[in-house]
Every structure is written in C-alpha cells, then in structure tokens.
Amino acid sequence: NGMINLHQYPRYSCFHGINLAHSESITIEGISIVNPPHYSVGVGGCNDVAIKDIKCFSCQGWSDGIDIMSSRNVTVDGVFMRNSDDCIAIYGSRWDFYGDSSNITVKNSTLWADVAHPTNIGCHGNHAKGGDVIEDIHFENIDVLNHHEPQDDYTGVFAINVGDGNIACNISYKNIRVEQYQRGRLIDLRVCHNPSYNPIPGKEIHDVYFENITYTGFGELPSRIA
C-alpha cells in the first residue's frame, strides 16, 4: 500500500505512474497514483497482467488511466479511475509495442472521465502491416460517474473507434451503470479515419454485445454506429 505522487513532473516529461513493457506475470495491487503527466499505468507488449484495487487521479492533458497496447491476458479488477483523458484505453500496436491485443477484462470498477472516454478501444494499430486484431474484451460491473468531452470525434462512454487497419471484435459490456454526464454520448462505434492519429482507416467492428446497461441521465448527443 502507498502512493506514487508525480505532481512535480511537468506535462511534457511524459512519465507514467507505472510502466510495464515487454513483461509477463505481473501484479499491481493496492496503491494510489496521483497526477502522472502521462498514463497512470501503461501496459505494452505484456502477457498475464493483473491490476487490482488501485486508485488513480490525474489532471493534465494526455494523463490517461490504464492504457493497454499489444497485450493479452490482462485483468483490471476493483479500480477507481478519475482521469483527465481516457480512463481505460485498449489498442493494438503503438510506439515500440507490436501485435494484437486479446483477452482483456475490466470489472468491479468505477470510472470518472473529466475529459475523453471512460472506455476506449481501437484507435492505434500497426498500419504499416495492415492493422491488428483487438478481440475478447469484456467490461462487467462498472459504475461510470462522468464523461465530459467537447470534441465530437472523441465522445462515447462506450467508444470503439477503429483506425490503422484494425479489427475490433468479440466485445461485451455487461451490468454497467452510467450516471448523468456533462457532455458526450453513450455509445460511439465507428470504423473511422482520424488524421491526427491514423495514417489509414480501420477495417471493421463486429460482435459487440450490451447487456443490462442503465443510464440515469439524458444524453446531450445521440449514440451512433457508423
């Protein structure tokens, strides 16, 4: 138990609270991470990772919660994330991490996005090789407390936006409670080309399953599938 406090580091230092790279059989449990200038926890090129009972708070641009790239067999359980960017982001290839992402579960957790998405899948992949497959991704028993995103291309409590030739499939959202959010939309599923991040568009999204989703507010923007 304890705290990793990175408030003294400026935004462009890009430090993570914890960075897992090309690793396996890792457990992170029972700590708090405060004000990292970049990710609270970055997971890249990893296998067999468990992230349990952590609390993360961030307030700078690009300070995501947990970002998972080119990894498999990852479980996130019992976390509280309040972030000024994506709370949970799952990608294919990025930076020096290459390959598909699969078998990732986020459960029993609370997500509070002051900016961007509570959950986000699919933006980054190996465009030079025609993309990656991001599959078998599951969110279960989640409370979403806020979603506040002024830019239309980055909205969605449940966002699957595939670029870089990626395919996203076999994704489920079950038993999720969403409170009134400030700005955004509930569901945003798009095969897209975001020129800020994607040299090429994504390929496809298929087999996405929603079960027992409740929203106790009103949506400022309509959900979309495109």
Side-chain angles (χ1 to χ4, degrees):
N1 295 319
M3 179 184 295
I4 299 173
N5 191 335
L6 292 100
H7 76 276
Q8 69 271 32
Y9 292 99
R11 175 183 180 183
Y12 295 104
S13 64
C14 294
F15 282 114
H16 298 348
I18 295 173
N19 188 36
L20 304 183
H22 309 294
S23 303
E24 62 181 348
S25 302
I26 304 291
T27 298
I28 303 168
E29 184 172 5
I31 61 173
S32 297
I33 301 171
V34 177
N35 288 344
H38 209 11
Y39 305 157
S40 294
V41 181
V43 180
C46 293
N47 178 43
D48 188 21
V49 174
I51 302 171
K52 305 176 183 178
D53 187 30
I54 70 169
K55 300 172 180 66
C56 301
F57 304 86
S58 63
C59 66
Q60 301 190 69
W62 306 331
S63 55
D64 294 18
I66 299 171
D67 277 30
I68 302 166
M69 297 152 282
S70 297
S71 295
R72 60 195 184 277
N73 304 319
V74 179
T75 300
V76 178
D77 187 1
V79 303
F80 181 97
M81 314 297 298
R82 182 175 181 177
N83 305 109
S84 63
D85 212 307
D86 299 335
C87 294
I88 305 288
I90 301 171
Y91 303 134
S93 301
R94 196 178 193 197
W95 297 315
D96 62 342
F97 309 120
Y98 293 95
D100 303 333
S101 288
S102 63
N103 192 28
I104 297 168
T105 298
V106 181
K107 60 184 179 179
N108 309 322
S109 295
T110 301
L111 309 178
W112 180 338
D114 283 317
V115 182
H117 311 88
T119 70
N120 184 22
I121 297 171
C123 179
H124 302 290
N126 190 353
H127 60 86
K129 299 293 186 180
D132 298 315
V133 177
I134 302 168
E135 62 182 340
D136 299 324
I137 312 297
H138 306 291
F139 294 89
E140 184 170 0
N141 191 28
I142 305 289
D143 287 286
V144 176
L145 304 188
N146 199 13
H147 166 43
H148 185 189
E149 177 50 63
Q151 302 176 89
D152 187 64
D153 281 341
Y154 303 98
T155 56
V157 172
F158 311 116
I160 306 175
N161 297 160
V162 293
D164 286 354
N166 289 340
I167 296 170
C169 57
N170 300 327
I171 298 166
S172 67
Y173 303 87
K174 297 181 180 180
N175 302 320
I176 299 178
R177 300 157 295 278
V178 182
E179 295 190 3
Q180 173 68 60
Y181 47 77
Q182 289 177 288
R183 192 181 193 282
R185 68 184 82 236
L186 192 64
I187 296 169
D188 189 51
L189 310 184
R190 290 183 294 136
V191 176
C192 56
H193 178 208
N194 182 337
S196 296
Y197 294 104
N198 307 134
I200 63 173
K203 284 187 184 143
E204 61 181 284
I205 299 168
H206 64 85
D207 293 294
V208 180
Y209 186 66
F210 293 91
E211 178 183 340
N212 193 25
I213 310 297
T214 60
Y215 178 41
T216 56
F218 57 90
E220 182 188 45
L221 300 171
S223 291
R224 62 183 171 186
I225 301 175

